[in-house]
Amino acid sequence: MKMIHSLKILTISGLLIFTSCNETKSNATKVENDQLLAQASMIPTEKEVPTIYERIAIDVSYTTLHNMLKETKYPKLLQEQGPYTIFIPLNGAIKKLHPKTLKNLQKPENTSKLEAVMDCHIFRGLINKQDIIKAIKENGGSVKLKTIGGTRLIASMKDDKIYLIDKKGNAGRLMANDIEASNGIIHTIESVMMPAN
């Protein structure tokens, strides 16, 4: 009799645990104070998934950016828990900058200017491709996104391609999307976004 009673308790406990494990939370995508909030609030943090900065360091598509960021705040920032969403300019995007601009950004005394440029590519929270598309459609064809540096970029679509546009009118098409990192999401972009000043 005691054994049957114990089995009933174990069965009920198991059902409660199974039910609670199946409950998940999600936030609807919305624009709040120019900040796009992703539907997911967490991403996996398994050890084998590299951080954003580790991905920048090992991917040959980002070697130019990686070399520029070594002496900035980003090696530390982009390994923090976050989560962050980053739009990484590919090697070709950086090489499209005016040679004088690129040379100035690479000077040690201009680290703050380089960081201001990079701040135009980073957002707090997780923003995947579908979040951006949904927000664009819900906001009449374009949506403003606020970066960690306070710059507001415009996201819009043309021929099913997503573009980011900065205050100076530079437009960059998103290339690869939703690249997973342990502390965020990476998208690649074909142009460098610049701050207003």
Side-chain angles (χ1 to χ4, degrees):
M1 190 73 176
K2 283 184 181 179
M3 188 166 195
I4 293 170
H5 183 66
S6 297
L7 281 171
K8 283 182 180 178
I9 290 171
L10 283 172
T11 302
I12 292 167
S13 299
L15 284 170
L16 288 172
I17 291 168
F18 179 77
T19 303
S20 64
C21 287
N22 280 320
E23 290 179 3
T24 57
K25 295 181 180 179
S26 65
N27 300 318
T29 303
K30 59 183 178 178
V31 178
E32 191 173 274
N33 296 327
D34 293 333
Q35 180 66 49
L36 182 62
L37 304 178
Q39 295 192 36
S41 58
M42 293 185 68
I43 58 171
T45 56
E46 291 89 350
K47 286 183 181 178
E48 64 270 13
V49 179
T51 65
I52 292 171
Y53 192 76
E54 287 168 344
R55 284 213 183 272
I56 291 172
I58 62 176
D59 195 314
V60 294
S61 300
Y62 316 142
T63 51
T64 305
L65 181 68
H66 178 240
N67 289 332
M68 292 174 71
L69 297 184
K70 286 178 180 177
E71 301 304 318
T72 67
K73 64 184 179 182
Y74 297 104
K76 182 180 178 184
L77 178 73
L78 296 177
Q79 296 204 77
E80 291 176 356
Q81 184 176 354
Y84 298 105
T85 297
I86 182 169
F87 294 83
I88 298 180
L90 296 165
N91 292 334
I94 296 172
K95 288 173 183 174
K96 285 194 300 185
L97 290 172
H98 189 283
K100 187 177 179 181
T101 301
L102 182 55
K103 188 176 179 180
N104 282 334
L105 289 174
Q106 292 174 319
K107 291 179 179 178
E109 63 267 28
N110 289 335
T111 299
S112 61
K113 289 182 180 179
L114 175 59
E115 290 180 347
V117 171
M118 269 311 295
D119 281 349
C120 293
H121 298 79
I122 304 170
F123 301 81
R124 296 193 189 280
L126 303 176
I127 307 171
N128 64 36
K129 181 180 179 181
Q130 289 307 312
D131 293 328
I132 300 169
I133 292 171
K134 185 177 180 184
I136 289 170
K137 289 179 178 178
E138 288 178 353
N139 287 275
S142 66
V143 63
K144 288 182 179 179
L145 306 177
K146 187 177 180 181
T147 70
I148 62 169
T151 299
R152 285 173 173 79
L153 302 178
I154 296 172
S156 65
M157 290 183 69
K158 183 179 179 182
D159 300 327
D160 296 326
K161 302 285 191 296
I162 301 171
Y163 290 83
L164 287 186
I165 305 164
D166 66 20
K167 290 279 188 179
K168 294 188 175 182
N170 299 314
R173 179 166 55 104
L174 269 61
M175 306 298 282
N177 302 107
D178 300 340
I179 301 166
E180 181 186 5
S182 62
N183 61 339
I185 294 175
I186 296 168
H187 306 280
T188 62
I189 189 168
E190 65 174 359
S191 296
V192 176
M193 299 290 97
M194 301 296 282
N197 299 321

